[in-house]
Amino acid sequence: MIANNFNLLRLFAAMLVLYGHGYVLQGHVVPSSLNHELGVHIFFAISGYLIASSWQNDPNLIRYFWRRSLRIFPALIFAVLLSIMVLGPLMTTLESNVYWKHSFVTNYLHNILLYINYSLPGVFSENIIPHAVNGSLWTLPVEFFMYITVALLGVLCMNNRWVSLIFFIFWLGVSLAWESLGFGNVVIYATLVKPLTSLAALFWAGVCINRWNIERYFSLNNFVVILTIWIFSYQWPEAAHLIQYFALPFLVLCFGSSSCGSLGVFNKADYSYGVYIYAFPIQQTLVTLFPSLPVLLSIAICAMATLGISAFSWHAIEKPMLRFKPRQKKITSSVTNSDTTLLKGAI
C-alpha cells in the first residue's frame, strides 16, 4: 500500500470545496478561511509536485498524456452525461421536447473537451446562483493546460529546474500584478485567465519543490515554523497573500509526503476527484428542492450523497480505467517513489 497522505489531502481539499460551495450556493458568506478556494489551491500545489514527478519518471509524451487522460476524462464523461440525461430532464422547467432540442444540451457536451459550459435549458434557473449546473468544472482546463506546459518544457528544456523557477516567478508576478497591469476579464477557451494565474503559480510552486529537491527540508520542525510564519503574517494581509504561494505548497507537500501510519486507510480508494466533480450538481439540486434547508444540514446531506456516487464512480469507472495505464518505467529516483500510482490532477 502507498505510504503517504496524498489521498487524504485530496479528499480533504475536495470536501473543502463542497463545504465552501454549500454556503455560496445558498447566498451566504463562508464563515471560515477553510473554504472552497483553499481546497482548489491545495489541489494545484499537490498536482504540480506529482505531475513533475510523473514526467520525470517517464518523459514520454504519449504515455504521459494517456495517463492524464485516463484519470480525468472517464469520470468527467460520466458526470456530463449524467447531468444531461438524468439531472436535466428531472430538474428542468421546460417541456421534455423543448429541453432535448435546446442548443444548451449540445453545448454542455463540450465540457468533455474541457470547453466549459455551465447551463442546461431550464435547469436551476431560479437558484441563487442561477443556471450553474456544475461550477466546479472550470478548473479542469486550467489543470490540463498545466499538464501540457510541463510536457512541453520537459521536451524543450530537458527538465531544467531553472525553467521551472522562472515559470513560478512569472505566474506569481502576473497573478499579483493583474489589476495594475490593467487586465480585465480575459477569457481564453471559455476560461477566465485571472484565476488561472494564481492556480498556475501554486502548481509551479509544487513543480519547483520537486525539481529543486525541497523535500530534503520536509520535517515536523520546519512544518511548524512555516505554519507559524504564515499565521503570523495575517497581521499584514498583503504579506500573507504573498507568503501563501510559498507556505501552502510546502505545508501541503510536507504533510502529503509523510508516512501515513494509521491514515493509510485513505489509500485504499481515491474518491477525491469524484467528490469534486459530482458535489456541485447535487448541492444545486438540494437548493432547488429544499431552499430553506439549514446550510450545515444541506452540506451534510450533500456530503453523504456525493461520497456515495463518488464511491460508485471510483470502483465502477475510474479504477477500472486506470488498468489501461501504460506500464511505468522503473523508478530510479528516491524522491519520486511515492507518486507513480496516485491521481495526478484535479481538481
Side-chain angles (χ1 to χ4, degrees):
M1 183 178 290
I2 301 163
N4 58 48
N5 291 308
F6 285 113
N7 267 12
L8 171 60
L9 266 176
R10 279 191 291 259
L11 183 59
F12 173 70
M15 295 303 291
L16 280 182
V17 174
L18 185 155
Y19 171 77
H21 284 164
Y23 281 89
V24 172
L25 294 177
Q26 291 199 20
H28 303 294
V29 176
V30 187
S32 170
S33 58
L34 293 174
N35 56 33
H36 49 293
E37 291 184 0
L38 177 61
V40 174
H41 290 173
I42 291 172
F43 269 125
F44 272 79
I46 294 173
S47 181
Y49 177 78
L50 300 188
I51 293 301
S53 172
S54 177
W55 175 263
Q56 197 166 20
N57 287 336
D58 187 10
N60 178 278
L61 283 174
I62 295 176
R63 291 193 294 268
Y64 171 82
F65 281 111
W66 183 235
R67 292 187 185 102
R68 305 288 75 73
S69 298
L70 285 173
R71 193 61 189 97
I72 285 184
F73 290 107
L76 174 62
I77 292 170
F78 177 69
V80 170
L81 295 180
L82 193 65
S83 294
I84 292 174
M85 301 178 71
V86 179
L87 180 65
L90 289 175
M91 301 305 297
T92 185
T93 57
L94 305 178
E95 296 292 332
S96 179
N97 63 323
V98 177
Y99 172 85
W100 287 111
K101 292 178 181 179
H102 203 288
S103 61
F104 280 11
V105 172
T106 303
N107 290 343
Y108 200 80
L109 286 170
H110 295 165
N111 288 311
I112 294 173
L113 301 176
L114 301 181
Y115 190 90
I116 304 304
N117 286 265
Y118 298 105
S119 301
L120 284 171
V123 179
F124 305 142
S125 58
E126 301 299 322
N127 283 19
I128 294 172
I129 307 296
H131 308 294
V133 175
N134 198 337
S136 296
L137 299 184
W138 74 271
T139 64
L140 297 186
V142 178
E143 179 79 8
F144 209 82
F145 173 64
M146 294 298 105
Y147 296 168
I148 294 171
T149 309
V150 167
L152 287 178
L153 291 180
V155 170
L156 298 175
C157 305
M158 303 298 292
N159 292 325
N160 188 305
R161 62 179 184 172
W162 287 101
V163 174
S164 65
L165 181 60
I166 290 170
F167 261 66
F168 168 65
I169 294 172
F170 169 78
W171 286 115
L172 177 60
V174 173
S175 177
L176 294 175
W178 184 270
E179 299 296 342
S180 61
L181 291 173
F183 297 144
N185 293 325
V186 180
V187 178
I188 298 177
Y189 199 71
T191 302
L192 283 170
V193 176
K194 181 179 179 180
L196 178 153
T197 60
S198 59
L199 297 184
L202 290 162
F203 181 95
W204 282 96
V207 173
C208 285
I209 287 175
N210 175 274
R211 290 284 190 264
W212 288 83
N213 194 22
I214 306 299
E215 298 97 330
R216 64 185 183 275
Y217 299 111
F218 287 170
S219 68
L220 179 59
N221 288 341
N222 288 338
F223 183 95
V224 172
V225 170
I226 297 298
L227 179 60
T228 302
I229 293 173
W230 191 20
I231 294 173
F232 184 75
S233 72
Y234 272 86
Q235 297 180 81
W236 305 279
E238 291 185 358
H241 180 67
L242 174 61
I243 289 173
Q244 72 168 329
Y245 289 98
F246 301 89
L248 178 65
F250 183 92
L251 295 174
V252 165
L253 296 173
C254 181
F255 177 77
S257 299
S258 62
S259 179
C260 57
S262 60
L263 298 176
V265 64
F266 290 96
N267 290 327
K268 294 181 179 180
D270 187 358
Y271 299 160
S272 60
Y273 183 47
V275 170
Y276 185 78
I277 64 173
Y278 300 125
F280 198 101
I282 294 173
Q283 290 176 297
Q284 283 283 61
T285 301
L286 284 175
V287 171
T288 301
L289 298 177
F290 308 102
S292 59
L293 201 65
V295 175
L296 291 178
L297 178 58
S298 178
I299 290 172
I301 294 172
C302 176
M304 290 186 290
T306 302
L307 284 170
I309 191 172
S310 299
F312 169 81
S313 178
W314 170 255
H315 294 289
I317 300 171
E318 298 168 59
K319 186 178 180 181
M321 291 303 298
L322 292 179
R323 295 170 185 165
F324 294 99
K325 289 198 308 181
R327 295 184 64 180
Q328 178 71 48
K329 288 181 61 178
K330 183 178 179 181
I331 301 171
T332 58
S333 172
S334 61
V335 173
T336 59
N337 63 0
S338 63
D339 254 329
T340 57
T341 60
L342 291 180
L343 165 62
K344 311 295 194 297
I347 80 344

